[in-house]
């Protein structure tokens, strides 16, 4: 019997249409045929941008399961994700943000079969932040592609922002997943079969998004929980080859070229240049600390 591919579940914000196109092509190449998407647009999103993104989704054969507008509370993503998972029904679900491209050590059916055999209802992943050659927040063009525009990779989220780089990338229906897809309470993925989550967050425009997020959380316009769930600075999936460690400052070295086979492994310790964008430019308060909402954004990816 041919294995049934997982259903892809994703909550999409006001990203550039070209990113949605590249994202869709990537997951179709992995064998995904069933996409369950929710589009959510904060109030500041221009109507023309929203309409263009939704038109692109329809052109790609991705009719949204739901479209909503309003504040992006911390619980908004989780509520929409759970609505989509309920729609997806029984089986396995692939969880991917719109700026995340997964690569797996085996084809998806084999990865799921291995998890089933081991009695694990989840497959884990580790984020590899992708950056431009000079560390700038760069524009990218579809004809160039994401890989060529952001050829370097490192554990920026973990080592510079003290965020949680762990992700739940595949999960069986009925298994709870925490906010941000970082954990599945009560279930630990196999550290030897981690997917690499190529994280293309550090594009031009991300600083405006981060500042807007900080301002809305600080003003109370967007609601955030009293504490982070399931995140711990310095934590990472433990492996026999080592961990990312607890470094609290950037290492003065060049970033490593991204490689799906090795760059995601914590023991490989790919490093980012100290001029990398988030380390230099995330907004800080007078005491020198990033506001709590900025730290939350760093941890939730």
């Amino acid at each position: 019997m041919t294995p049934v591919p997982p259903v892809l579940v994703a909550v999409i914000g006001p990203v550039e249409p070209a990113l949605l196109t590249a994202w869709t092509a990537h997951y179709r190449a992995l064998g995904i045929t069933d996409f369950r998407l929710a589009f959510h647009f904060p109030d500041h999103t221009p109507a023309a941008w929203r309409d263009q993104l939704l038109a692109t989704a329809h052109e790609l054969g991705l009719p949204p399961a739901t479209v909503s507008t309003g504040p992006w509370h911390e619980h908004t993503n989780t509520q929409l994700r759970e609505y989509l998972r309920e729609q997806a029904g029984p089986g396995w679900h692939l969880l991917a943000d719109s700026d995340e491209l997964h690569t797996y050590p085996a084809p998806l059916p084999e990865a799921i079969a291995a998890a089933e055999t081991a009695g694990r209802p989840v497959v884990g992943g580790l984020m590899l932040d992708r950056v431009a050659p000079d560390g700038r927040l760069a524009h990218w063009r579809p004809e160039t592609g994401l890989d060529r525009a952001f050829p370097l990779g490192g554990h920026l989220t973990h080592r510079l922002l003290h965020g949680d780089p762990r992700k739940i990338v595949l999960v069986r229906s009925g298994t709870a997943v925490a906010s941000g897809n970082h954990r599945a309470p009560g279930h630990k993925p196999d550290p030897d079969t981690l997917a690499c989550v190529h994280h293309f967050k550090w594009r031009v425009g991300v600083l405006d998004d981060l500042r807007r997020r900080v301002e809305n959380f600080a003003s109370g316009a967007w609601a955030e929980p009293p504490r982070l769930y399931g995140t711990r600075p310095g934590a990472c999936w433990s492996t026999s080859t080592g961990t990312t460690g607890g470094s609290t400052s950037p290492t003065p070295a060049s970033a490593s070229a991204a490689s799906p086979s090795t760059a995601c492994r914590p023991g490989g310790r790919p490093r980012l240049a100290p001029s990398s964008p988030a380390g230099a430019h995330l907004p800080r308060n007078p005491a020198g600390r990033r506001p709590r909402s900025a730290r939350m954004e760093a941890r939730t990816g």
Side-chain angles (χ1 to χ4, degrees), residues 1 6 12 54 66 84 142 151 167 172:
M1 183 175 67
I12 309 292
L54 292 176
T66 182
L84 295 171
K167 300 290 281 193
R172 195 165 54 205

Side-chain angles (χ1 to χ4, degrees), residues 148-171:
R148 291 177 62 190
F150 305 96
L152 305 182
H155 296 301
L156 185 154
T157 294
H158 172 63
R159 301 193 70 188
L160 296 185
L161 307 183
H162 313 299
D164 192 342
R166 301 170 296 179
K167 300 290 281 193
I168 298 297
V169 295
L170 290 166
V171 58

Side-chain angles (χ1 to χ4, degrees), residues 133-149:
D134 58 3
R136 295 177 183 273
L137 301 175
H139 284 282
W140 71 283
R141 288 183 276 188
E143 58 269 26
T144 301
L146 289 166
D147 272 328
R148 291 177 62 190

Side-chain angles (χ1 to χ4, degrees), residues 10-281:
V11 179
I12 309 292
V15 300
E16 57 268 43
L19 181 64
L20 180 64
T21 300
W23 181 86
T24 302
H26 175 83
Y27 285 104
R28 281 182 169 154
L30 291 184
I32 299 297
T33 58
D34 191 347
F35 291 76
R36 303 299 174 103
L37 307 183
F39 286 82
H40 184 75
F41 298 97
D43 293 325
H44 66 267
T45 307
W49 188 287
R50 179 196 63 210
D51 293 344
Q52 184 181 6
L53 184 59
L54 292 176
T56 298
H58 283 284
E59 291 168 5
L60 292 168
L62 305 175
T66 182
V67 178
S68 56
T69 302
W72 202 305
H73 303 300
E74 187 59 27
H75 60 260
T76 298
N77 193 293
T78 303
Q79 289 180 341
L80 289 171
R81 183 199 67 196
E82 291 309 298
Y83 168 76
L84 295 171
R85 291 190 65 195
E86 184 178 355
Q87 276 201 343
W92 283 77
H93 305 155
L94 189 154
L95 308 179
D97 292 344
S98 57
D99 59 3
E100 295 175 352
L101 302 185
H102 300 175
T103 57
Y104 292 83
L108 283 174
E110 293 182 21
I112 291 172
E116 292 275 16
T117 299
R120 299 178 189 265
V122 297
V123 174
L126 188 66
M127 282 201 297
L128 182 73
D129 292 287
R130 299 289 295 269
V131 295
D134 58 3
R136 295 177 183 273
L137 301 175
H139 284 282
W140 71 283
R141 288 183 276 188
E143 58 269 26
T144 301
L146 289 166
D147 272 328
R148 291 177 62 190
F150 305 96
L152 305 182
H155 296 301
L156 185 154
T157 294
H158 172 63
R159 301 193 70 188
L160 296 185
L161 307 183
H162 313 299
D164 192 342
R166 301 170 296 179
K167 300 290 281 193
I168 298 297
V169 295
L170 290 166
V171 58
R172 195 165 54 205
S173 57
T175 303
V177 178
S179 175
N181 304 336
H182 290 289
R183 291 206 324 163
H187 302 287
K188 185 176 180 181
D190 183 349
D192 293 325
T193 60
L194 296 179
C196 189
V197 180
H198 295 266
H199 191 211
F200 292 94
K201 177 174 183 168
W202 305 107
R203 314 181 312 279
V204 71
V206 69
L207 285 184
D208 290 337
D209 291 339
L210 288 174
R211 291 190 179 104
R212 188 179 296 112
R213 185 177 177 88
V214 170
E215 291 166 2
N216 280 301
F217 278 132
S219 70
W222 295 3
E224 59 180 331
R227 63 180 295 275
L228 292 171
Y229 184 88
T231 58
R232 175 168 60 89
C236 189
W237 302 124
S238 177
T239 76
S240 58
T241 57
T243 65
T244 52
S247 174
T248 59
S249 62
T251 303
S254 299
S256 302
S259 168
S261 60
T262 59
C264 244
R265 302 298 293 182
R269 294 176 180 265
R271 296 173 295 183
L272 285 164
S275 59
S276 55
H281 302 299

